[in-house]
């Protein structure tokens, strides 16, 4: 998985990449700035210079970088789609693959779930769903209308989060044929039914 944030300088990105590798090995709680400095081949002082505020500032920068990288990849999938089915299938595959293939996130979900799950569950999930809806709605608007696009984006985001965090028999959001079947059998018919007055 490429971990390059397009708007960061080389040194900052090198430190972020090093921190992600450390978190994938030891988790957030056990990763220290000394670990990150060693992994990035720089000094601890360099990390403080790049990320004033220390570990909290570095974690915030990692989050911004990874969210930016995620949306950049998702935009590419959306732009490559020929139709609504392709847009939905490609988006679901990309999003689930990005989440499942993110080593640092997977380590934290397995060993420090209390750091992530509250942010994607209950009322806190609203921020995630709002961000995804706002991002995806313009891509969906020409297919489902501008008024429905945010709701469709949120619904599909909920599907991705649910099936990624709590897998179910019969639906593999990492498998193209399974996702295409989900989209054709449930998502597209749901959109058509919703369009009927």
């Amino acid at each position: 998985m490429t971990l390059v944030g397009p708007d960061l300088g080389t040194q900052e990105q090198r430190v972020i990449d090093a921190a992600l590798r450390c978190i994938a090995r030891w988790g957030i709680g056990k990763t220290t700035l000394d670990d990150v400095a060693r992994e990035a081949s720089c000094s601890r002082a360099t990390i403080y210079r790049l990320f004033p505020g220390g570990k909290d500032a570095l974690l915030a920068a990692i989050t911004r970088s990874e969210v930016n990288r995620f949306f950049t990849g998702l935009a590419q999938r959306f732009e490559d789609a020929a139709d609504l089915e392709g847009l939905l299938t490609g988006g679901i595959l990309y999003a689930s693959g990005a989440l499942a293939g993110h080593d640092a996130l997977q380590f934290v979900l397995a060993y420090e779930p209390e750091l992530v799950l509250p942010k994607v569950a209950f009322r806190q999930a609203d921020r995630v769903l709002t961000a995804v809806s706002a991002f995806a709605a313009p891509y969906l608007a020409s297919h489902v209308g501008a008024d429905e696009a945010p709701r469709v984006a949120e619904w599909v985001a909920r599907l991705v989060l649910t099936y990624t965090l709590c897998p179910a028999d019969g639906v593999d959001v990492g498998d193209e044929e399974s996702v295409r079947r989900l989209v054709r059998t449930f998502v597209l018919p749901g959109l058509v039914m919703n369009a009927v007055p």
Side-chain angles (χ1 to χ4, degrees), residues 46-96:
T46 297
I47 295 175
Y48 274 105
R49 181 177 52 77
L50 295 171
F51 304 98
K55 187 173 178 180
D56 288 341
L58 176 57
L59 290 172
I62 289 169
T63 301
R64 284 190 304 274
S65 175
E66 293 303 280
V67 166
N68 185 27
R69 186 182 61 78
F70 174 82
F71 282 130
T72 299
L74 188 58
Q76 186 62 54
R77 275 305 186 89
F78 285 163
E79 289 164 9
D80 291 344
D83 56 16
L84 180 57
E85 180 181 324
L87 189 145
L88 293 168
T89 301
I92 291 170
L93 282 168
Y94 175 80
S96 63

Side-chain angles (χ1 to χ4, degrees), residues 25-154:
R25 263 185 244 134
W26 305 303
I28 292 172
K30 291 185 179 178
T31 294
T32 67
L33 290 182
D34 288 329
D35 296 327
V36 175
R38 222 176 355 267
E39 185 75 22
S41 300
C42 68
S43 69
R44 184 182 165 115
T46 297
I47 295 175
Y48 274 105
R49 181 177 52 77
L50 295 171
F51 304 98
K55 187 173 178 180
D56 288 341
L58 176 57
L59 290 172
I62 289 169
T63 301
R64 284 190 304 274
S65 175
E66 293 303 280
V67 166
N68 185 27
R69 186 182 61 78
F70 174 82
F71 282 130
T72 299
L74 188 58
Q76 186 62 54
R77 275 305 186 89
F78 285 163
E79 289 164 9
D80 291 344
D83 56 16
L84 180 57
E85 180 181 324
L87 189 145
L88 293 168
T89 301
I92 291 170
L93 282 168
Y94 175 80
S96 63
L99 296 174
H102 196 286
D103 295 337
L105 176 61
Q106 291 305 311
F107 186 96
V108 173
L109 284 171
Y111 299 103
E112 299 171 309
E114 71 280 2
L115 299 177
V116 175
L117 293 181
K119 296 182 185 330
V120 295
F122 307 110
R123 299 304 287 162
Q124 291 297 319
D126 288 348
R127 290 184 351 176
V128 172
L129 295 171
T130 298
V132 171
S133 295
F135 179 81
Y139 294 97
L140 290 162
S142 64
H143 300 285
V144 299
D147 290 342
E148 286 302 310
R151 285 187 282 270
V152 172
E154 180 182 328

Side-chain angles (χ1 to χ4, degrees), residues 33 187 196:
L33 290 182
V187 180
V196 175

